[in-house]
Amino acid sequence: MDSDPDPNLNPPVVDPAVTSTADDIAAMRIRGAATIADAAAAALATQAERSEAPDPAAFERDLRAGARELYETRPTAVSLPNALRYVLRGMEGETVTALRASTIERANRFRTELEQAQSTLGEIGANRLRDGDVVLTHCHSTDALACIEAALESGKRIEAIVKETRPRKQGHITARQLRELGVPVTLIVDNAARRYLDEADHVLVGADSIAADGSVINKIGTSGLAVNARERGVPVMVAAQTIKLHPDTMTGHTVAIEMRDEQEVLSLQERAEIESPSEESESRSTAVDGNDDEDSSRSESDLTVENPAFDVTPPRYIDAIVTERGQFPPESIVTLMRELFGETTAEPWEE
C-alpha cells in the first residue's frame, strides 16, 4: 500500500507576480533603490494574498522561495535584500490565515514608511543647513536634494557648487533639478573641487550603501572629496535612507565595487587612436631599434581602462549620516542596523 507523499517534498510555489517583478528588476525595467525595494515588498504581499498553501509550513516555504527568486536578480543591490528581510521577519502566526495577514501588513507598512522616508530625511538634514549656506555636491542623489529642498521650504537661502561627476555627468542632473528649485548653481569640473571647497559650508552627498563601521560606498570620487574637505575643515554630510544600510557587513562581508564599461571613459575610436601610432612616430621607432617585430606583437591588452563606479569613504572623514530615523555619527550606524535588521547570521529566505 502506497503511503501519502510527504508534503515537504513538494516544490515551492512562486506566484507569477513575483516572477514578473524579478524579471523586471533583472532587466532594469525597475531601477533605483527605493523603486526596487517597493516593488519587492509589493510582490511578496501579492504572493501572500494569492497563496493557496495547505498549511503554515508550505506558506512559509513558498514565500521564502519567492523572496529568494527576487534576491537573486540583483544580489548586490542593498535595498532589495533589505526589503525582503523586513517583510519576511514580520511573518508571524500559527495558521495560514495569520501568516497571510501578518505578511501583507508588514509589506504595506514597509511601503508606507518607504514613501515617507525621503521627506522625513530631508527635514532632518535641512536642520544642519543654515540660511545662506553653500553646499558642494557630488553625483546625483535624491536624498541629498531632499535636504536642500526642505531647507528652501523653511525659508533658507541655499546655493550649490555642483561637480559634474564624470564619466556619466550625473552632476548635470543635479544642476538641472537645483535650478528648477531656484537654487543658484556653479557647475565645476571634478578636478576643481579642492579649489572650490574654500567657498563651501558643507559637502552634501548621498550613498549607494553604508557599511556597519560607518564607511560610505558612493560614486567614485566621493572619498577624495571627503579627504580634501577634512583638510579644509568643511563638514561632510551623507544623506541616505535606511534601505541603503548594508547589514551583511556586520558579519564581515565586504562590499563589491562595480566596474563599469570602459567605453564610458574611452570610445572605440579613441582607443584606436591611442593604440595606433602615426606613420611618422612609427617610422621613427623603427629607425631607432631597427626592429618592428615587437611593435607588431603588441596587443590591445597593453592598454587597460579601469572604470570603477564607486569608492569607499572611511568614517573618519564623515561628520554625520542623515537618515529618516535621525542623524548619526558614522561609528554608531551599526546600532541602527541592529535595531532594524537584528544580528544577521542567516538570511530569512534561506532558513
Side-chain angles (χ1 to χ4, degrees), residues 293-310:
D293 290 342
E294 182 179 347
D295 289 335
S296 63
S297 68
R298 293 178 68 85
S299 67
E300 289 189 358
S301 63
D302 290 319
L303 175 60
T304 301
V305 178
E306 296 281 328
N307 184 20
F310 309 110

Side-chain angles (χ1 to χ4, degrees), residues 41-122:
L44 290 185
T46 300
Q47 163 112 9
E49 184 177 7
R50 296 178 179 175
S51 174
E52 298 178 357
D55 55 64
F59 180 94
E60 293 184 11
R61 183 192 63 213
D62 292 350
L63 201 69
R64 289 195 178 103
R68 187 161 53 249
E69 184 170 324
L70 290 163
Y71 170 74
E72 289 172 351
T73 61
R74 296 281 302 279
T76 62
V78 179
S79 67
L80 175 56
N82 281 347
L84 301 176
R85 290 183 188 105
Y86 187 100
V87 175
L88 290 181
R89 289 191 171 129
M91 181 172 56
E92 298 176 342
E94 301 297 326
T95 65
V96 170
T97 299
L99 287 168
R100 188 195 321 277
S102 65
T103 302
I104 294 173
E105 189 278 331
R106 183 78 165 180
N108 290 340
R109 187 196 313 171
F110 176 83
R111 298 182 70 195
T112 299
E113 291 179 359
L114 184 64
E115 184 179 359
Q116 298 170 348
Q118 193 166 83
S119 60
T120 302
L121 178 156

Side-chain angles (χ1 to χ4, degrees), residues 43-306:
L44 290 185
T46 300
Q47 163 112 9
E49 184 177 7
R50 296 178 179 175
S51 174
E52 298 178 357
D55 55 64
F59 180 94
E60 293 184 11
R61 183 192 63 213
D62 292 350
L63 201 69
R64 289 195 178 103
R68 187 161 53 249
E69 184 170 324
L70 290 163
Y71 170 74
E72 289 172 351
T73 61
R74 296 281 302 279
T76 62
V78 179
S79 67
L80 175 56
N82 281 347
L84 301 176
R85 290 183 188 105
Y86 187 100
V87 175
L88 290 181
R89 289 191 171 129
M91 181 172 56
E92 298 176 342
E94 301 297 326
T95 65
V96 170
T97 299
L99 287 168
R100 188 195 321 277
S102 65
T103 302
I104 294 173
E105 189 278 331
R106 183 78 165 180
N108 290 340
R109 187 196 313 171
F110 176 83
R111 298 182 70 195
T112 299
E113 291 179 359
L114 184 64
E115 184 179 359
Q116 298 170 348
Q118 193 166 83
S119 60
T120 302
L121 178 156
E123 292 171 2
I124 294 170
N127 291 330
R128 296 184 65 89
L129 303 178
R130 300 160 301 182
D131 185 32
D133 272 355
V134 177
V135 298
L136 194 154
T137 70
H138 180 66
C139 199
H140 175 252
S141 164
T142 56
D143 288 340
L145 286 174
C147 298
I148 297 175
E149 186 170 6
L152 295 172
E153 290 174 352
S154 70
K156 298 174 183 176
R157 292 172 294 111
I158 303 294
E159 296 183 19
I161 300 169
V162 177
K163 293 178 64 182
E164 61 174 352
T165 319
R166 288 180 178 267
R168 295 184 63 85
K169 298 183 180 178
Q170 291 100 323
H172 290 198
I173 304 172
T174 300
R176 183 181 71 247
Q177 293 184 354
L178 286 172
R179 287 302 304 128
E180 290 172 354
L181 293 173
V183 175
V185 170
T186 300
L187 183 68
I188 63 171
V189 297
D190 291 339
N191 288 340
R194 190 171 184 272
R195 169 190 175 104
Y196 285 90
L197 275 167
D198 288 338
E199 301 176 17
D201 299 293
H202 297 271
V203 168
L204 176 57
V205 298
D208 185 74
S209 63
I210 299 174
D213 68 348
S215 296
V216 170
I217 297 86
N218 194 45
K219 177 66 179 179
I220 188 75
T222 303
S223 181
L225 175 61
V227 171
N228 283 329
R230 174 54 56 92
E231 179 201 29
R232 286 290 202 261
V234 180
V236 176
M237 177 168 66
V238 176
Q241 297 175 52
T242 54
I243 57 170
K244 301 292 188 70
L245 301 181
H246 203 313
D248 286 348
T249 57
M250 287 193 288
T251 55
H253 287 74
T254 57
V255 179
I257 301 298
E258 176 188 356
M259 299 299 291
R260 300 282 300 173
D261 191 327
E262 70 167 52
Q263 290 188 46
E264 292 181 349
V265 177
L266 194 71
S267 69
L268 293 176
Q269 180 179 347
E270 290 168 332
R271 172 181 273 279
E273 290 171 353
I274 292 173
E275 291 180 322
S276 302
S278 65
E279 291 184 6
E280 182 180 351
S281 62
E282 190 172 305
S283 61
R284 251 198 327 267
S285 174
T286 303
V288 170
D289 56 29
N291 183 3
D292 61 358
D293 290 342
E294 182 179 347
D295 289 335
S296 63
S297 68
R298 293 178 68 85
S299 67
E300 289 189 358
S301 63
D302 290 319
L303 175 60
T304 301
V305 178
E306 296 281 328

